């Protein structure tokens, strides 16, 4: 007989116990020869004990299987919790990367505007503007000051250009990170 057709271990235990009590009841009331009745009753009693032991074994196996399933459920629950935490962290990193991209883009546009203004100014004034600035100096100190001013402007322009390169590189890196977060 298959496991499924015999019912649950608890039902089988109840049936075996019921059968055991019915056998006991008939053994006390049934007429007939005492020797034959004792042998039949003893056989039925042994059979009921075997069934009871089978039921106990089945119950222990079912209980062990339930414990295994509970452990698997707990493991899955832990994994789901870890994945959920990871997804939340990725969502936060994605939002931060998007904000960083926006800030970097704004800064790059600002630096590009400053650099464009300086280039336009140099183009309009031409190289003669720089020479005139230096030649209009009234004294050596004035010449040194004007030269220092031009040097500072040149360094500032170089700094703006370098800042623009850095902002563009940061923008590329942030976009790459955002792509990774989306893929993950």
């Amino acid at each position: 007989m298959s496991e499924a057709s015999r019912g649950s271990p608890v039902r089988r235990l109840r049936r075996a116990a019921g059968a055991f009590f019915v056998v006991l009841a008939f053994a006390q009331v049934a007429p007939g020869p005492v020797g034959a009745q004792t042998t039949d009753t003893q056989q039925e009693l042994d059979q009921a004990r075997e069934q009871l032991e089978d039921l106990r074994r089945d119950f222990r196996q079912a209980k062990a299987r339930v414990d295994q399933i509970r452990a698997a459920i707990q493991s899955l629950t832990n994994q789901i919790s870890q994945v959920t935490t990871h997804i939340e962290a990725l969502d936060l990193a994605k939002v931060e990367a998007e904000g960083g991209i926006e800030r970097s883009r704004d800064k790059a546009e600002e630096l590009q505007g400053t650099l464009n203004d300086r280039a336009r100014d140099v183009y309009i004034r031409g190289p003669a503007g720089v020479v005139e600035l230096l030649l209009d100096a009234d004294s050596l100190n004035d010449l040194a000051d004007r030269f220092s001013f031009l040097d500072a402007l040149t360094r500032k322009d170089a700094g703006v250009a370098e800042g623009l390169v850095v902002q563009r590189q940061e923008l590329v890196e942030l976009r790459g990170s955002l792509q990774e977060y989306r893929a993950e």
Side-chain angles (χ1 to χ4, degrees):
M1 194 183 310
S2 72
E3 288 279 331
S5 67
R6 293 193 318 202
S8 73
V10 173
R11 282 192 204 139
R12 291 191 315 229
L13 184 59
R14 284 182 185 160
R15 275 191 238 134
F20 178 70
F21 287 123
V22 168
V23 169
L24 281 179
F26 278 117
Q28 293 176 358
V29 242
V34 176
Q37 185 181 12
T38 306
T39 306
D40 288 342
T41 304
Q42 186 62 41
Q43 287 176 350
E44 290 173 355
L45 188 59
D46 289 344
Q47 209 173 25
R49 283 185 182 138
E50 278 182 34
Q51 287 178 344
L52 180 63
E53 194 54 44
D54 288 345
L55 290 173
R56 285 181 178 159
R57 185 187 69 247
D58 291 345
F59 178 74
R60 284 189 301 270
Q61 289 173 349
K63 188 174 182 307
R65 181 67 182 140
V66 167
D67 290 343
Q68 288 175 342
I69 291 171
R70 281 188 181 141
I73 289 171
Q74 183 62 41
S75 174
L76 288 173
T77 302
N78 290 341
Q79 290 175 6
I80 289 170
S81 177
Q82 289 173 351
V83 167
T84 302
T85 301
H86 186 68
I87 288 171
E88 289 171 355
L90 284 174
D91 285 342
L92 180 62
K94 188 176 104 180
V95 167
E96 288 176 359
E98 288 170 345
I101 287 172
E102 188 65 30
R103 286 187 301 276
S104 184
R105 186 180 305 131
D106 291 346
K107 184 68 176 172
E109 287 174 2
E110 179 186 323
L111 290 171
Q112 185 66 53
T114 302
L115 200 56
N116 289 346
D117 290 345
R118 287 291 300 138
R120 189 178 321 107
D121 187 44
V122 168
Y123 177 76
I124 290 171
R125 291 182 187 211
V130 174
V131 173
E132 286 177 13
L133 182 67
L134 292 175
L135 292 177
D136 284 344
D138 295 334
S139 66
L140 221 41
N141 284 338
D142 190 25
L143 180 64
D145 289 342
R146 288 173 185 232
F147 187 74
S148 295
F149 175 72
L150 287 175
D151 186 46
L153 281 178
T154 304
R155 277 188 269 134
K156 183 177 178 187
D157 289 346
V160 169
E162 186 177 318
L164 183 58
V165 169
V166 168
Q167 285 302 315
R168 286 182 178 160
Q169 181 61 34
E170 183 177 332
L171 190 57
V172 168
E173 290 172 5
L174 287 171
R175 284 182 178 150
S177 295
L178 181 60
Q179 290 301 324
E180 287 176 19
Y181 296 147
R182 285 181 178 158
E184 193 169 336

